Amino acid sequence: MVNEYLASMFSLAGKTALVTGAAGGIGSAVAVGIAKAGANVALCDINTDALDPICNELGSTTAAFKLDVTDVAAFPKTVDEIATKYGSIDILVNCAGINKREGLADVAEETYDRIMNINLKGVFFLSQTVAHKMKAQNSGVIINIGSHNTGPVLGGVSVYAATKTGVLALTRSMAVEWAKYNIRANCVSPGHIKTELTAPTWEHPTRSKYLLDRIALNRPGLPQDVVGVCLFLASDAAAYITGCEYRVDGGCVCGGQPWQYDTEF
């Protein structure tokens, strides 16, 4: 009885998900989690070689698709290919993203454009393309990956923070405009997650301490920590949730490590 109830609420069996940035730390973890919850998963990334191990692990429920999220003109072809292969696209996870840590006054126009194109423009137009498929089937879920920097902002992330704040605003626009097509859109904003790309920060003697002092749970987040909320939002258990931001930050925004205080507990 328990298993049947949980399956009715959280199973993604029979669904198809398109996940961008699927070769990355968070993207690959979310893609694997969605596949293990029963869905077919189209793993999309510019680096398809890195997707082979995931496909080998999960078998026929997954397939790799080369997708450059800056190439808007290529979106319809790839989306059509995925929809034809699986019959539908029920879940879109926009996870592809980049950053370059440098001062606001140091950012070159080329860097600005590249971060904007991948992190925000790509999300906008890929969602628009997939939404046409979701509209035709009168259902769909879009999960956009935001960032800690949609609220508090770290130094040296001006363009990245602007894009991720834009992703959050875009998520709310999707929720408002596409609800009539039974399309839900939510934003998952990871906190300070330890991945291959962020390893230099966590290995830095002062930056790692700065982060840990601001995390109530006193540890880095892991890509697996982001999976659960994405599965929830993709499932029928979240059928009445749209336009929201979910922070996965170990208690960072709520206050982090407390100062010293008197207690007998």
Side-chain angles (χ1 to χ4, degrees):
M1 180 176 179
V2 172
N3 288 342
E4 291 179 3
Y5 175 72
L6 291 178
S8 71
M9 293 287 283
F10 297 105
S11 173
L12 301 180
K15 305 289 187 181
T16 295
L18 188 167
V19 181
T20 71
I26 293 175
S28 61
V30 171
V32 169
I34 289 174
K36 289 185 175 181
N40 299 308
V41 181
L43 303 161
C44 296
D45 205 286
I46 196 169
N47 180 11
T48 52
D49 289 342
L51 299 175
D52 290 340
I54 306 174
C55 291
N56 292 337
E57 175 190 351
L58 297 173
S60 61
T61 61
T62 60
F65 295 84
K66 189 176 185 65
L67 181 66
D68 178 354
V69 295
T70 67
D71 187 3
V72 174
F75 291 173
K77 181 177 182 297
T78 302
V79 168
D80 284 346
E81 186 179 352
I82 294 169
T84 299
K85 178 178 177 62
Y86 293 111
S88 66
I89 299 177
D90 307 287
I91 303 158
L92 170 63
V93 182
N94 286 304
C95 193
I98 63 166
N99 185 24
K100 182 177 180 181
R101 295 186 182 276
E102 58 184 347
L104 192 156
D106 304 308
V107 177
E109 183 178 2
E110 179 183 0
T111 300
Y112 177 94
D113 288 343
R114 179 160 175 75
I115 297 174
M116 279 286 176
N117 286 342
I118 291 175
N119 292 10
L120 186 55
K121 184 178 178 180
V123 172
F124 188 105
F125 285 104
L126 183 59
S127 299
Q128 184 187 78
T129 304
V130 173
H132 286 297
K133 302 291 185 184
M134 292 178 170
K135 175 187 175 183
Q137 65 199 30
N138 195 42
S139 66
V141 174
I142 298 173
I143 300 171
N144 296 321
I145 302 301
S147 167
H148 167 81
N149 294 279
T150 60
V153 176
L154 298 172
V157 297
S158 56
V159 187
Y160 178 81
T163 63
K164 290 302 186 177
T165 303
V167 165
L168 177 56
L170 178 59
T171 301
R172 291 168 175 156
S173 291
M174 292 176 184
V176 169
E177 293 194 22
W178 294 344
K180 61 186 175 183
Y181 306 122
N182 201 30
I183 298 171
R184 296 188 292 105
N186 291 288
C187 182
V188 174
S189 292
H192 304 300
I193 308 297
K194 189 173 185 179
T195 65
E196 184 177 341
L197 292 177
T198 63
T201 298
W202 287 107
E203 293 165 2
H204 194 281
T206 58
R207 291 178 182 172
S208 59
K209 183 180 185 306
Y210 176 94
L211 294 181
L212 287 174
D213 285 346
R214 285 156 178 79
I215 300 172
L217 291 180
N218 195 34
R219 69 165 176 86
L222 301 174
Q224 289 75 14
D225 292 321
V226 183
V227 175
V229 68
C230 291
L231 293 181
F232 165 66
L233 291 172
S235 74
D236 290 342
Y240 199 57
I241 298 175
T242 193
C244 296
E245 180 184 25
Y246 287 80
R247 290 187 169 274
V248 184
D249 67 1
C252 185
V253 169
C254 75
Q257 292 289 311
W259 63 6
Q260 294 297 313
Y261 61 97
D262 295 333
T263 178
E264 293 182 3
F265 180 70

